[in-house]
Amino acid sequence: LVDADAPLAEAALARFHELFKADPLVVDKWFALQTSANEREGRGLARVKALMQHPDFTLHNPNRARSVVHNFAHNNPAAFHRRDAAGYVFWAEQVLEIDSFNPSLAARLARALDRWPKLDEPYRSAAREALLRVAKAELSGDTREIIDRALAADA
């Protein structure tokens, strides 16, 4: 339903959430299913941002952050790698925020751009710009190592 962008998908997702909202692991999967859904007309990132406003979402819960932010960046390339670079801008914002309270999760999220030199233009330049933005910040050791190694891959 979700991948096909079926008309009944939203109602089915809402009903599923209502039935299983007491089970945290199921809710994590519910979030992940939506963030990895096929890209349709540039709505993937908007879907992720809307899910981050859901009452059951908190960036401070590592499993929720992984199921939404990490899953989007690592498992939804069509939505993450956008010509307008909005996926990379979002990624940079999330890496910086998460690094302030969960460096190991931020480092794992930072790995989404490990292979940026292999991207074609305009993605390659936009990914490099996002990496440089993150590199300018004061980072934890874990995240700094990932970002510096990614940037060095182009040397």
Side-chain angles (χ1 to χ4, degrees):
L1 283 174
V2 178
D3 272 346
D5 204 23
L8 299 176
E10 290 303 317
L13 287 166
R15 176 76 174 128
F16 185 89
H17 178 268
E18 187 59 35
L19 291 170
F20 296 101
K21 66 184 176 185
D23 187 333
L25 293 176
V26 174
V27 174
D28 290 338
K29 293 293 186 183
W30 179 82
F31 277 114
L33 170 73
Q34 295 175 76
T35 60
S36 62
N38 286 337
E39 175 66 9
R40 297 269 193 256
E41 300 169 4
R43 295 186 307 215
L45 181 56
R47 182 184 316 111
V48 169
K49 289 180 177 182
L51 286 169
M52 291 177 73
Q53 301 306 310
H54 191 279
D56 286 345
F57 180 81
T58 174
L59 201 56
H60 288 270
N61 176 322
N63 290 336
R64 290 289 149 85
R66 255 190 309 279
S67 66
V68 175
V69 180
H70 185 275
N71 193 55
F72 169 72
H74 284 269
N75 299 322
N76 197 338
F80 178 59
H81 299 285
R82 297 168 47 125
R83 282 193 157 290
D84 66 1
Y88 304 145
V89 170
F90 173 78
W91 169 87
E93 291 167 353
Q94 300 311 309
V95 169
L96 292 170
E97 184 171 351
I98 294 169
D99 191 58
S100 69
F101 60 86
N102 190 333
S104 64
L105 180 58
R108 276 181 261 150
L109 176 58
R111 302 221 43 206
L113 289 180
D114 272 357
R115 297 184 178 154
W116 70 274
K118 296 181 190 270
L119 296 171
D120 288 333
E121 291 297 343
Y123 309 103
R124 185 174 196 267
S125 294
R128 183 175 188 277
E129 189 174 317
L131 283 160
L132 289 170
R133 176 180 172 208
V134 173
K136 289 178 186 176
E138 188 172 323
L139 299 170
S140 66
D142 292 346
T143 305
R144 169 67 58 203
E145 180 181 346
I146 299 299
I147 296 298
D148 288 350
R149 190 178 325 131
L151 286 167
D154 191 43

